[in-house]
Amino acid sequence: MAVDLSVTIGSLTLRNPLIAASGCFGYGTEYGDVVDLASLGGVAGMLNAIGLQGIGVHRFIAEKMPELRARGAAVFVNICGTTLQEYVELAKILSDVDGIAALELNISCPNIKEGGITFGCSVHGTADVVRAVRAATTLPVIPKLTPNVTDISAIARAAEDAGADAVSLVNTFLAMAIDVETRRPRLSNIVGGLSGPAIRPIAVRMVYECRQAIRIPIIGMGGIATTADALEFIIAGASAVQVGTANFADPLIWPKLLKGLEAYLERHRIARISELTGTIDTTARDKEWISS
Ligand SMILES: Cc1cc2nc3c(=O)[nH]c(=O)nc-3n(C[C@H](O)[C@H](O)[C@H](O)COP(=O)(O)O)c2cc1C
């Protein structure tokens, strides 16, 4: 049985729902010789105005985009700024570049002191950034939401109302660890971002909550390391998924996940993966089942 793995995110059609998460896949080019970039649904390269690692927008366009274009990658550029104006400037510059599929707005990074997560932690801040970038570009605009809020679905709704084409969720959870012998924090910033398998159930819950609150597509992530993990997000309501931390442990994870998704669809006789999004069955279970 031939299955169709393609998904649509607003006006974009991706060949499959697997996207390399920002910050966990370099600029994409670093993996070009080990991973067929054209076999992925997308690559979310990071680009930060200031405050984080990055080569800057002009060098990214000159040095990285030609190779990403040549390798046939669907490029999601993850942009981060400390002011509204920085997001707008980055969006304008990137709008004129050939081969960019979408802008992912990082309004959720825990490692910069100003801007970034400050926007993403309030409905007004989120709406302001999305509205400003929406007015500055014709590219699909995909804000990436932070899980470090009380009600992520309210933030997602604000993003949708402000003109977002989709939302990505989640970024990392604020966390800390202490060396008890020295009593010093293990991270130089004292707090940092937690990613990987530990966050997955919380991230899945957030995707599920947002699916009830908005109509635009959701790109889900947080601790995906297996096919079943990716499927959980899709069944909870994600149209596509990103894989971050697991790529560090196994850069060859992509073909395994793709094969796994195909096998699942075949086994369940589902023709298109897009049919699976949000199909979670929450009908009440009979008492006997629950108590056993
Ligand atoms: C080392 C590292 C760097 C990251 N850098 C970025 C970044 O620049 N922009 C961004 O939006 N998210 C960044 N993230 C967050 C990931 O893209 C992703 O949202 C998060 O790690 C959850 O997915 P995972 O558990 O699969 O890693 C980073 C995560 C890690 C671990």
Side-chain angles (χ1 to χ4, degrees):
M1 175 186 166
V3 293
D4 178 4
L5 287 181
S6 69
V7 295
T8 55
I9 304 288
S11 58
L12 275 181
T13 299
L14 306 180
R15 46 183 75 89
N16 64 62
L18 297 181
I19 302 169
S22 179
C24 304
F25 203 67
Y27 291 99
T29 51
E30 294 88 337
Y31 288 87
D33 290 334
V34 266
V35 180
D36 174 8
L37 299 185
S39 72
L40 301 186
V43 173
M46 61 172 166
L47 195 64
N48 306 291
I50 35 178
L52 295 168
Q53 293 175 332
I55 58 174
V57 65
H58 296 293
R59 279 188 60 198
F60 172 78
I61 294 166
E63 297 172 22
K64 306 294 179 187
M65 276 309 296
E67 184 178 341
L68 291 170
R69 265 195 301 266
R71 290 190 185 270
V75 183
F76 289 60
V77 185
N78 177 276
I79 64 175
C80 189
T82 56
T83 63
L84 267 187
Q85 198 47 39
E86 281 181 354
Y87 282 98
V88 168
E89 267 172 48
L90 284 168
K92 280 190 177 153
I93 294 167
L94 291 163
S95 294
D96 296 330
V97 180
D98 252 6
I100 294 180
L103 297 180
E104 185 177 62
L105 312 182
N106 181 0
I107 50 171
S108 44
C109 178
N111 294 328
I112 57 171
K113 298 224 158 27
E114 292 164 49
I117 198 168
T118 320
F119 291 114
C121 278
S122 83
V123 286
H124 296 298
T126 300
D128 287 348
V129 179
V130 173
R131 205 177 300 112
V133 173
R134 173 74 292 154
T137 185
T138 53
L139 286 170
V141 173
I142 308 175
K144 178 162 168 183
L145 310 188
T146 175
N148 300 298
V149 292
T150 310
D151 180 4
I152 196 167
S153 62
I155 307 272
R157 220 175 295 120
E160 178 176 54
D161 291 345
D165 295 276
V167 287
S168 284
L169 58 124
V170 294
N171 208 316
T172 53
F173 285 74
L174 283 172
M176 71 186 288
I178 298 169
D179 178 335
V180 295
E181 294 306 319
T182 61
R183 295 185 225 162
R184 292 180 61 78
R186 289 192 186 273
L187 298 173
S188 57
N189 270 355
I190 304 179
V191 297
L194 182 68
S195 62
I199 70 172
R200 197 184 68 249
I202 318 176
V204 170
R205 184 263 294 175
M206 289 180 163
V207 166
Y208 172 70
E209 283 177 353
C210 287
R211 188 65 285 149
Q212 323 296 310
I214 57 174
R215 288 164 179 229
I216 53 176
I218 295 171
I219 302 175
M221 81 204 77
I224 295 175
T226 66
T227 301
D229 298 344
L231 286 165
E232 269 196 79
F233 279 88
I234 293 170
I235 293 165
S239 297
V241 294
Q242 297 190 10
V243 178
T245 302
N247 175 67
F248 290 122
D250 180 9
L252 303 178
I253 190 169
W254 307 101
K256 296 176 201 166
L257 294 178
L258 273 178
K259 277 208 188 91
L261 292 178
E262 268 170 6
Y264 177 89
L265 293 183
E266 281 168 16
R267 189 154 47 85
H268 288 266
R269 308 213 55 81
I270 300 169
R272 280 171 290 274
I273 197 152
S274 54
E275 292 169 21
L276 199 59
T277 294
T279 54
I280 182 170
D281 177 1
T282 53
T283 50
R285 294 162 176 166
D286 64 52
K287 273 200 186 110
E288 207 179 330
W289 200 95
I290 291 170
S291 61
S292 62

